[in-house]
Structures are given as structure tokens and as C-alpha cells.
Amino acid sequence: MESTNKRIAVIQAAMELIAENGFHGTPMSEIAKRAGVAAGTIYHYFESKDALIEATYALLEEQLLESIRKGYCEDTSVQERFLHIGRTLVNSFIVFPMKFRFIEQFHNSPYGVASRRERMLGKKNDLVSSLFEEARQQGLIKDLPLPAIFALAFGPLLFISRDHIFGLIILDDLLIEKIVKACWNALTP
């Protein structure tokens, strides 16, 4: 197996196993077995399990951002850009439930605290935070702290995606559109 392929296989195995069993229920030996590599091979690419978890999240986040960037047009209104982001997130989560489960676990664990802190306290200037700042400056959304804006905007989308994955609701494009618009409406003054 080629070096790049081994690294990707390890990340894929880590994502799957952590999504299934959690961080503590996933030993490195199981990741190696699922990836089809020797246990020592993992340490050639990742200094520790923590580094592997961080790298897995970084890759998944980048894939999500790539999806969002497709069709994202800076020339459209703030609302249209938000709707695009919301639709893309929900569709990505329900099409790739394993990735969603890993991302959810990451954000709800000590691993996700530093990442969220950077984003929420404005130390990381990303696409979504910039969009919310633009909306706030234009008076389009409530003047709330960024963590509250993220919670109002994306909390419901996470829950509805989870409920779809669990079979509690069936999401289609029309319902996703209505839900994302409701999240936008929650933000507006």
C-alpha cells in the first residue's frame, strides 16, 4: 500500500471506529487492524492517538468546507449564503452519517474545546464566523455573542440531521429548506 493511501486508510479506520465506539473504546490496535496496517505504522504518520484524532477531524472539517465552497457565492445576500451553508451541512451530515457521528463526538469532547474556543472567541477567522460578523454589522441578525449565534443557527440543524439518521424524520430538499430558513429566522431581529 502506498504511503499516502496508508495514511488515509488509518484516518478512515479511526473515523469509523471512533464513530462506532467512541474515543476511549477505540484502541490503536483496532485502528491498525481495520486500516490493514501494522500498529507501528500508525506512529509513522501520527505521533499519538490524540494527533490521529486531531488529524481526522481536520480532514473531515476540510471536506465539509470544500462542500460548502461549492456553489458558495460571495456576491449573494448574507441570507442566501447562510441558507447555502445550512443546506450543505444537513445534506453532508445525512449522506455521510459516520462522518457526522465522528464530528459530533469531537465537538462534544475535550478534543473539540480548543477548536470551538478559537472559533467562538474570534481567534480563527473562518467563512461562517466572517459571514455572521458581516450580518451583525449590517443589522441583519441579533446582536448576540458568537456562541449564541452558532447555537441558534446550527444547533437545530445538528438535531434534525441526527433525527433523520435515527429514522425519526425523513428529510427531503423542501423540508431541509424550510428548516434552514427557520434557523435564519431565529437569528433575525
Side-chain angles (χ1 to χ4, degrees), residues 79-88 90-91 94 157 160 170-185:
Q79 180 182 357
E80 280 303 313
R81 286 181 275 159
F82 172 80
L83 295 175
H84 169 77
I85 291 168
R87 285 189 302 263
T88 303
V90 172
N91 281 309
I94 66 177
L157 300 181
I160 203 70
I170 304 299
L171 295 174
D172 59 21
D173 290 341
L174 180 61
L175 187 53
I176 291 170
E177 185 73 20
K178 287 180 180 180
I179 293 166
V180 174
K181 282 182 180 177
C183 290
W184 172 258
N185 292 339

Side-chain angles (χ1 to χ4, degrees), residues 2 8 13 17 22 29 36 45 48 60 62-63 67 80 85 91 99 110 116 132 137 162 173 184-185:
E2 189 180 310
I8 296 299
L17 286 166
S29 59
Y45 299 102
S48 64
L60 296 177
E62 184 54 40
Q63 289 173 350
S67 296
E80 280 303 313
I85 291 168
N91 281 309
K99 290 179 181 182
R116 291 183 68 207
F132 286 146
Q137 287 175 359
R162 186 180 317 122
D173 290 341
W184 172 258
N185 292 339

Side-chain angles (χ1 to χ4, degrees), residues 75-129:
D75 296 334
T76 60
S77 70
V78 171
Q79 180 182 357
E80 280 303 313
R81 286 181 275 159
F82 172 80
L83 295 175
H84 169 77
I85 291 168
R87 285 189 302 263
T88 303
L89 284 176
V90 172
N91 281 309
S92 294
F93 291 156
I94 66 177
V95 170
F96 301 107
M98 196 72 70
K99 290 179 181 182
F100 172 68
R101 288 174 57 194
F102 179 94
I103 289 169
E104 233 189 350
Q105 284 191 48
F106 184 89
H107 278 278
N108 292 311
S109 75
Y111 291 108
V113 172
S115 172
R116 291 183 68 207
R117 183 174 288 123
E118 283 181 25
R119 182 169 285 120
M120 297 300 166
L121 298 178
K123 294 177 183 158
K124 183 177 181 182
N125 190 12
D126 65 8
L127 182 96
V128 178
S129 297

Side-chain angles (χ1 to χ4, degrees), residues 17 26-35 37 39 42-43:
L17 286 166
T26 304
M28 292 292 263
S29 59
E30 284 300 310
I31 294 170
K33 184 176 176 183
R34 171 93 45 114
V37 299
I42 294 176
Y43 295 102

